[in-house]
Amino acid sequence: MLVDPFEVRMRFTGQLQHLSASVTSSQRAAQYALKHRDLDEDLHSCILEQLEKSNMNTRANIMSFIEQFCDMAVKEDHEPYVRMMQRDILRVVDAVVPPDGSGAANVKHVRLVLGNLQDKGVLSAESVAEIDAALKDRDTHPEHYDNDEEGAQEESGRSKTGSPRNVKTQGTRLDKRQIEQRVEEDRERNKRLRESMWAVSGDTQEEMQQNWDAVSDTNSDDIRDAEEEAMERAQVAAEMRGEL
């Protein structure tokens, strides 16, 4: 029976869009891609497209999926998927942690996944070191002020009608639903990390403990800090517009 490539692509895209932090979710999508390995280039392009279109929470989940996917591709002896991911890993990281700082919350998660991919032999130590160097400023890098230019125009328009002048922070304001979703998914990832720690011993367990400490549960203080940071970025943008 012939398979419609368009239908396969659409179904895989849907799976990527609805990924969660659970292992089952990633495994299901990986199994589907491996089942249709004859369309590997098309399905790989779906991953890149969704990384660039999705919100930051989904991008973090796709990053987790990539680790699971590469692991399963190696076990099933389908190297093309792994080679394509090795080739495009910089593009992947740039999507999950953009240079404008909007993906700062994903930096620790990306580093953890990259480390796991290195341990599994998918990425070389040199590649991981190069990417890690590029990530150094991305957890604190201010957002691009281009995101605020539209807000400045709308702000100006409102002021002409006599409405209060408020700084538009759409580019930086945190969506409450996305915050809650991220907290739950971080908890799921941390649960998986704890389970991995229980399965190992000795030096490996010590290393996993360090990773666990680096990605501790998001709490109310983390959310408050993120909101304050967003407000500070908006204020800086407003001051810069005033100086210009």
Side-chain angles (χ1 to χ4, degrees):
M1 181 178 179
L2 294 177
V3 178
D4 183 356
F6 179 75
E7 182 180 353
V8 172
R9 183 183 178 92
M10 291 300 295
R11 288 192 176 185
F12 185 57
T13 295
Q15 290 178 328
L16 294 174
Q17 290 172 341
H18 295 92
L19 280 174
S20 70
S22 72
V23 174
T24 302
S25 176
S26 292
Q27 287 179 339
R28 186 182 302 114
Q31 288 168 352
Y32 187 82
L34 286 166
K35 177 181 178 181
H36 298 286
R37 63 188 69 189
D38 53 319
L39 299 172
D40 51 15
E41 292 187 8
D42 280 344
L43 298 185
H44 177 76
S45 70
C46 288
I47 298 173
L48 299 179
E49 289 173 7
Q50 290 309 306
L51 277 170
E52 294 170 352
K53 291 180 180 178
S54 303
N55 63 44
M56 288 300 161
N57 287 349
T58 302
R59 296 184 195 193
N61 289 335
I62 293 177
M63 192 72 196
S64 295
F65 156 76
I66 287 172
E67 178 186 347
Q68 188 80 35
F69 185 32
C70 288
D71 194 27
M72 292 175 64
V74 170
K75 291 178 180 177
E76 295 212 11
D77 196 27
H78 190 66
E79 292 298 322
Y81 274 133
V82 177
R83 288 197 298 269
M84 285 186 283
M85 196 56 66
Q86 291 169 334
R87 179 194 67 201
D88 293 325
I89 192 63
L90 289 175
R91 182 176 172 183
V92 168
V93 172
D94 278 343
V96 183
V97 187
D100 64 5
S102 58
N106 290 339
V107 171
K108 289 182 180 179
H109 179 56
V110 167
R111 283 185 169 137
L112 182 62
V113 170
L114 291 175
N116 291 342
L117 290 175
Q118 178 184 335
D119 293 341
K120 294 175 180 179
V122 174
L123 296 177
S124 68
E126 293 77 10
S127 295
V128 173
E130 178 184 352
I131 297 171
D132 187 65
L135 290 175
K136 285 186 177 179
D137 296 329
R138 297 194 186 186
D139 53 353
T140 56
H141 197 294
E143 282 194 323
H144 219 287
Y145 295 118
D146 290 347
N147 291 338
D148 290 310
E149 289 180 1
E150 180 183 352
Q153 294 172 0
E154 291 189 22
E155 177 190 344
S156 175
R158 288 194 299 271
S159 63
K160 289 179 182 178
T161 64
S163 301
R165 291 176 62 89
N166 295 318
V167 177
K168 177 181 171 67
T169 58
Q170 183 176 358
T172 56
R173 182 171 294 157
L174 298 174
D175 180 275
K176 182 178 180 180
R177 182 185 62 81
Q178 291 185 4
I179 291 175
E180 293 173 348
Q181 178 186 356
R182 181 54 182 263
V183 169
E184 290 302 317
E185 291 179 342
D186 280 348
R187 285 174 178 166
E188 176 64 25
R189 277 187 279 268
N190 292 334
K191 176 183 176 183
R192 287 163 50 189
L193 186 55
R194 284 197 300 268
E195 290 171 350
S196 297
M197 288 172 57
W198 294 334
V200 296
S201 60
D203 294 338
T204 304
Q205 185 170 3
E206 181 178 352
E207 180 180 352
M208 292 295 291
Q209 179 64 56
Q210 293 174 354
N211 289 335
W212 164 246
D213 292 339
V215 291
S216 57
D217 285 348
T218 303
N219 54 37
S220 59
D221 291 336
D222 296 322
I223 295 174
R224 185 181 65 251
D225 291 343
E227 291 174 338
E228 291 176 353
E229 182 180 350
M231 293 176 63
E232 290 174 1
R233 289 177 178 174
Q235 183 177 1
V236 171
E239 291 175 354
M240 291 189 66
R241 286 197 297 269
E243 293 175 359
L244 294 174

